[in-house]
Amino acid sequence: SHTLAVPPLFIDRHPVTTANYSAYRRATGYAPKDHLSWLSNWRPGWPFTTPPGPAPLPPKSPPPRMADWPVTYVSLDEARDYCTWAGGRLPRAWEWQYAAQGTDGRLYPWGNHTCDSCWPAFATGNTFLGPEPVTAHSPAGDSPFGVSDLAGNVWQYTDEIADEHTRSVLLRGGSNYRPDGSHWYFPNRGGPGSGPPCTTHNKYFLFGESYERAGTVGFRCVYDRPAPAAPP
Protein backbone atom coordinates (compact mmCIF):
# COMPACT_ATOMS: atom_id res chain seq x y z
CA SER A 1 0.00 0.00 0.00
CA HIS A 2 1.03 3.61 -0.38
CA THR A 3 -0.26 7.04 0.49
CA LEU A 4 -1.63 9.54 -2.02
CA ALA A 5 -2.34 13.21 -1.44
CA VAL A 6 -5.79 14.06 -2.81
CA PRO A 7 -6.00 17.73 -3.77
CA PRO A 8 -9.10 19.78 -2.87
CA LEU A 9 -11.98 19.04 -5.20
CA PHE A 10 -15.73 18.83 -5.48
CA ILE A 11 -17.55 15.73 -6.77
CA ASP A 12 -21.08 15.29 -8.04
CA ARG A 13 -23.29 14.00 -5.26
CA HIS A 14 -25.00 11.67 -7.74
CA PRO A 15 -23.98 10.13 -11.05
CA VAL A 16 -24.97 12.22 -14.07
CA THR A 17 -28.62 11.47 -14.79
CA THR A 18 -30.52 11.10 -18.02
CA ALA A 19 -32.18 14.46 -17.29
CA ASN A 20 -28.74 16.08 -16.89
CA TYR A 21 -27.57 14.55 -20.16
CA SER A 22 -30.73 15.67 -21.94
CA ALA A 23 -29.99 19.25 -20.88
CA TYR A 24 -26.46 18.85 -22.27
CA ARG A 25 -27.81 17.57 -25.59
CA ARG A 26 -30.20 20.50 -25.89
CA ALA A 27 -27.50 23.03 -25.01
CA THR A 28 -24.81 21.66 -27.33
CA GLY A 29 -26.71 19.86 -30.07
CA TYR A 30 -24.37 16.91 -29.63
CA ALA A 31 -25.05 13.77 -31.65
CA PRO A 32 -22.36 11.22 -32.55
CA LYS A 33 -21.62 10.34 -36.16
CA ASP A 34 -21.89 6.67 -35.22
CA HIS A 35 -24.84 6.44 -32.86
CA LEU A 36 -24.91 2.64 -32.56
CA SER A 37 -25.97 1.82 -28.98
CA TRP A 38 -25.96 5.50 -27.97
CA LEU A 39 -28.57 6.14 -25.28
CA SER A 40 -30.23 2.85 -26.20
CA ASN A 41 -32.64 2.91 -23.28
CA TRP A 42 -34.12 6.23 -24.46
CA ARG A 43 -35.54 4.53 -27.56
CA PRO A 44 -39.19 3.44 -27.75
CA GLY A 45 -39.72 -0.18 -26.77
CA TRP A 46 -36.50 -0.64 -24.81
CA PRO A 47 -35.60 -3.24 -23.53
CA PHE A 48 -38.13 -5.62 -25.06
CA THR A 49 -38.47 -4.48 -28.66
CA THR A 50 -36.13 -2.98 -31.23
CA PRO A 51 -37.53 -1.05 -34.22
CA PRO A 52 -36.65 -2.69 -37.56
CA GLY A 53 -33.96 -1.21 -39.75
CA PRO A 54 -31.13 1.17 -38.79
CA ALA A 55 -31.68 2.69 -35.37
CA PRO A 56 -32.66 6.38 -35.49
CA LEU A 57 -31.20 8.92 -33.11
CA PRO A 58 -32.82 8.60 -29.68
CA PRO A 59 -35.32 11.26 -28.58
CA LYS A 60 -33.95 14.46 -27.06
CA SER A 61 -35.47 13.53 -23.70
CA PRO A 62 -35.53 10.18 -21.90
CA PRO A 63 -38.81 8.52 -20.92
CA PRO A 64 -40.10 10.38 -17.83
CA ARG A 65 -39.73 7.32 -15.60
CA MET A 66 -35.98 7.35 -16.34
CA ALA A 67 -35.31 11.01 -15.56
CA ASP A 68 -33.45 10.19 -12.33
CA TRP A 69 -31.66 7.13 -13.63
CA PRO A 70 -27.91 7.44 -14.16
CA VAL A 71 -27.21 8.06 -17.82
CA THR A 72 -25.70 4.99 -19.47
CA TYR A 73 -24.97 3.84 -23.01
CA VAL A 74 -22.37 6.59 -23.41
CA SER A 75 -18.73 6.13 -24.33
CA LEU A 76 -15.71 7.20 -22.31
CA ASP A 77 -15.09 10.23 -24.52
CA GLU A 78 -18.77 11.18 -24.40
CA ALA A 79 -18.59 11.12 -20.60
CA ARG A 80 -15.46 13.27 -20.72
CA ASP A 81 -17.10 15.75 -23.07
CA TYR A 82 -20.10 16.11 -20.77
CA CYS A 83 -17.86 16.79 -17.75
CA THR A 84 -15.87 19.37 -19.72
CA TRP A 85 -19.12 21.11 -20.68
CA ALA A 86 -20.15 21.08 -17.00
CA GLY A 87 -16.83 22.62 -15.94
CA GLY A 88 -15.28 19.45 -14.57
CA ARG A 89 -13.65 16.18 -15.55
CA LEU A 90 -13.88 12.48 -14.79
CA PRO A 91 -12.45 11.46 -11.42
CA ARG A 92 -9.19 9.63 -11.05
CA ALA A 93 -9.64 6.17 -9.55
CA TRP A 94 -8.22 7.25 -6.19
CA GLU A 95 -10.37 10.38 -6.09
CA TRP A 96 -13.43 8.20 -6.61
CA GLN A 97 -12.23 5.85 -3.86
CA TYR A 98 -11.62 8.73 -1.45
CA ALA A 99 -15.13 10.05 -2.06
CA ALA A 100 -16.56 6.57 -1.44
CA GLN A 101 -14.35 5.43 1.44
CA GLY A 102 -13.20 8.48 3.32
CA THR A 103 -10.13 7.95 5.49
CA ASP A 104 -11.16 5.01 7.69
CA GLY A 105 -10.65 2.16 5.21
CA ARG A 106 -14.30 1.11 5.15
CA LEU A 107 -15.44 -1.58 2.74
CA TYR A 108 -18.73 0.03 1.70
CA PRO A 109 -19.60 3.71 1.42
CA TRP A 110 -21.91 3.39 4.44
CA GLY A 111 -19.52 1.36 6.64
CA ASN A 112 -18.12 -2.16 7.01
CA HIS A 113 -21.41 -4.07 7.20
CA THR A 114 -23.63 -5.41 4.45
CA CYS A 115 -26.89 -3.51 4.09
CA ASP A 116 -29.56 -4.55 1.59
CA SER A 117 -31.39 -1.23 1.89
CA CYS A 118 -28.23 0.77 1.18
CA TRP A 119 -27.85 -0.25 -2.46
CA PRO A 120 -29.93 -1.69 -5.32
CA ALA A 121 -31.14 -5.26 -5.41
CA PHE A 122 -28.92 -7.44 -7.57
CA ALA A 123 -30.50 -8.97 -10.67
CA THR A 124 -29.48 -11.54 -13.24
CA GLY A 125 -31.15 -12.99 -16.31
CA ASN A 126 -31.27 -12.35 -20.05
CA THR A 127 -33.05 -8.96 -20.05
CA PHE A 128 -31.55 -5.95 -18.35
CA LEU A 129 -34.31 -3.71 -16.99
CA GLY A 130 -32.04 -0.80 -16.11
CA PRO A 131 -30.55 0.83 -13.02
CA GLU A 132 -32.43 2.44 -10.15
CA PRO A 133 -32.88 6.20 -9.58
CA VAL A 134 -29.74 7.81 -8.20
CA THR A 135 -31.57 8.94 -5.05
CA ALA A 136 -33.16 5.55 -4.27
CA HIS A 137 -30.76 4.62 -1.46
CA SER A 138 -29.85 8.00 0.01
CA PRO A 139 -29.00 8.84 2.72
CA ALA A 140 -28.63 5.22 3.97
CA GLY A 141 -26.08 4.33 1.30
CA ASP A 142 -24.16 7.63 1.30
CA SER A 143 -20.42 7.88 1.88
CA PRO A 144 -18.83 9.81 4.79
CA PHE A 145 -18.89 12.90 2.56
CA GLY A 146 -22.58 12.56 1.70
CA VAL A 147 -21.89 11.26 -1.82
CA SER A 148 -24.68 9.00 -3.10
CA ASP A 149 -25.06 6.05 -5.43
CA LEU A 150 -21.44 4.96 -5.37
CA ALA A 151 -22.06 1.21 -5.10
CA GLY A 152 -24.05 -1.42 -6.91
CA ASN A 153 -26.12 0.61 -9.38
CA VAL A 154 -23.86 1.34 -12.38
CA TRP A 155 -20.13 1.06 -12.89
CA GLN A 156 -18.49 4.50 -13.17
CA TYR A 157 -15.72 5.63 -15.49
CA THR A 158 -12.43 6.81 -13.96
CA ASP A 159 -8.85 6.55 -15.35
CA GLU A 160 -7.86 5.47 -18.83
CA ILE A 161 -4.76 3.27 -18.97
CA ALA A 162 -2.84 2.11 -22.02
CA ASP A 163 0.16 0.07 -23.06
CA GLU A 164 1.69 -0.66 -26.44
CA HIS A 165 -1.15 -3.03 -27.34
CA THR A 166 -4.38 -2.07 -25.57
CA ARG A 167 -6.45 0.74 -24.06
CA SER A 168 -8.77 0.33 -21.12
CA VAL A 169 -10.56 2.31 -18.43
CA LEU A 170 -10.85 1.56 -14.72
CA LEU A 171 -14.45 1.18 -13.63
CA ARG A 172 -15.53 1.59 -10.03
CA GLY A 173 -18.63 0.90 -7.99
CA GLY A 174 -20.26 -2.20 -9.48
CA SER A 175 -23.65 -2.58 -11.14
CA ASN A 176 -27.00 -4.09 -10.24
CA TYR A 177 -27.01 -6.64 -13.08
CA ARG A 178 -25.06 -9.61 -14.40
CA PRO A 179 -26.26 -11.59 -17.44
CA ASP A 180 -26.93 -15.29 -16.99
CA GLY A 181 -23.88 -17.42 -17.66
CA SER A 182 -21.37 -14.62 -17.07
CA HIS A 183 -20.37 -15.40 -13.47
CA TRP A 184 -16.79 -15.80 -14.68
CA TYR A 185 -16.64 -12.39 -16.34
CA PHE A 186 -16.17 -8.94 -14.86
CA PRO A 187 -16.28 -9.64 -11.10
CA ASN A 188 -19.30 -7.92 -9.61
CA ARG A 189 -21.20 -8.16 -6.35
CA GLY A 190 -22.32 -11.69 -5.71
CA GLY A 191 -19.94 -13.25 -8.23
CA PRO A 192 -16.60 -15.08 -8.03
CA GLY A 193 -13.71 -12.68 -7.61
CA SER A 194 -15.95 -9.86 -6.46
CA GLY A 195 -15.01 -7.70 -3.52
CA PRO A 196 -16.33 -4.75 -1.54
CA PRO A 197 -17.04 -1.74 -3.80
CA CYS A 198 -14.66 0.64 -2.02
CA THR A 199 -11.68 -1.60 -2.79
CA THR A 200 -12.68 -3.23 -6.10
CA HIS A 201 -12.21 -2.10 -9.66
CA ASN A 202 -12.57 -3.63 -13.10
CA LYS A 203 -10.58 -3.07 -16.27
CA TYR A 204 -12.84 -2.36 -19.24
CA PHE A 205 -11.13 -2.72 -22.61
CA LEU A 206 -11.76 0.07 -25.12
CA PHE A 207 -12.39 -0.95 -28.74
CA GLY A 208 -14.49 1.93 -30.04
CA GLU A 209 -17.29 4.17 -28.90
CA SER A 210 -20.15 1.94 -30.00
CA TYR A 211 -18.62 -0.97 -28.07
CA GLU A 212 -18.03 1.10 -24.94
CA ARG A 213 -21.67 2.16 -24.63
CA ALA A 214 -23.17 -0.19 -22.06
CA GLY A 215 -26.30 -0.10 -19.96
CA THR A 216 -24.35 -0.89 -16.80
CA VAL A 217 -21.74 1.89 -17.11
CA GLY A 218 -22.27 5.54 -16.17
CA PHE A 219 -20.20 8.34 -14.67
CA ARG A 220 -20.00 11.36 -12.43
CA CYS A 221 -17.79 14.46 -12.61
CA VAL A 222 -15.30 16.11 -10.29
CA TYR A 223 -14.37 19.80 -10.18
CA ASP A 224 -10.91 21.02 -9.21
CA ARG A 225 -10.95 23.52 -6.40
CA PRO A 226 -8.42 26.34 -6.83
CA ALA A 227 -5.62 26.35 -4.29
CA PRO A 228 -5.90 29.16 -1.74
CA ALA A 229 -3.85 32.22 -2.52
CA ALA A 230 -0.48 32.43 -0.81
CA PRO A 231 -0.34 34.93 2.04
CA PRO A 232 1.21 38.30 1.14
Side-chain angles (χ1 to χ4, degrees):
S1 65
H2 58 282
T3 301
L4 290 173
V6 180
L9 55 85
F10 297 97
I11 187 167
D12 286 337
R13 182 173 184 181
H14 307 107
V16 174
T17 66
T18 61
N20 297 146
Y21 201 80
S22 179
Y24 161 72
R25 288 185 64 191
R26 292 177 183 279
T28 64
Y30 174 72
K33 292 180 180 178
D34 176 5
H35 58 264
L36 181 66
S37 301
W38 184 54
L39 304 178
S40 287
N41 56 357
W42 296 28
R43 302 178 193 277
W46 180 92
F48 300 107
T49 61
T50 302
L57 283 170
K60 286 289 182 104
S61 298
R65 68 184 181 89
M66 298 182 185
D68 289 332
W69 286 15
V71 68
T72 56
Y73 294 107
V74 294
S75 70
L76 176 62
D77 280 342
E78 286 164 343
R80 286 173 170 156
D81 289 345
Y82 173 92
C83 287
T84 298
W85 171 79
R89 58 179 174 80
L90 290 177
R92 308 299 298 270
W94 59 83
E95 292 169 339
W96 187 99
Q97 182 165 340
Y98 179 60
Q101 191 175 43
T103 58
D104 60 10
R106 62 183 58 198
L107 302 177
Y108 302 89
W110 57 84
N112 288 314
H113 60 286
T114 58
C115 171
D116 289 344
S117 64
C118 295
W119 58 353
F122 187 66
T124 188
N126 295 313
T127 302
F128 175 48
L129 300 178
E132 295 187 14
V134 298
T135 57
H137 300 277
S138 178
D142 290 357
S143 79
F145 301 110
V147 184
S148 302
D149 210 38
L150 286 155
N153 200 18
V154 293
W155 292 98
Q156 296 169 33
Y157 286 128
T158 63
D159 287 302
E160 180 181 344
I161 54 178
D163 58 29
E164 60 271 26
H165 302 293
T166 62
R167 294 173 57 237
S168 57
V169 59
L170 297 181
L171 301 183
R172 302 299 304 263
S175 73
N176 68 338
Y177 176 74
R178 179 197 295 278
D180 277 344
S182 67
H183 62 276
W184 53 272
Y185 177 72
F186 228 65
N188 197 1
R189 67 184 264 196
S194 63
C198 284
T199 58
T200 301
H201 71 267
N202 266 313
K203 185 179 180 181
Y204 187 39
F205 284 103
L206 302 173
F207 298 102
E209 290 198 319
S210 62
Y211 289 96
E212 295 163 26
R213 298 171 182 143
T216 54
V217 181
F219 67 99
R220 68 178 76 220
C221 308
V222 298
Y223 309 87
D224 294 307
R225 180 180 173 185

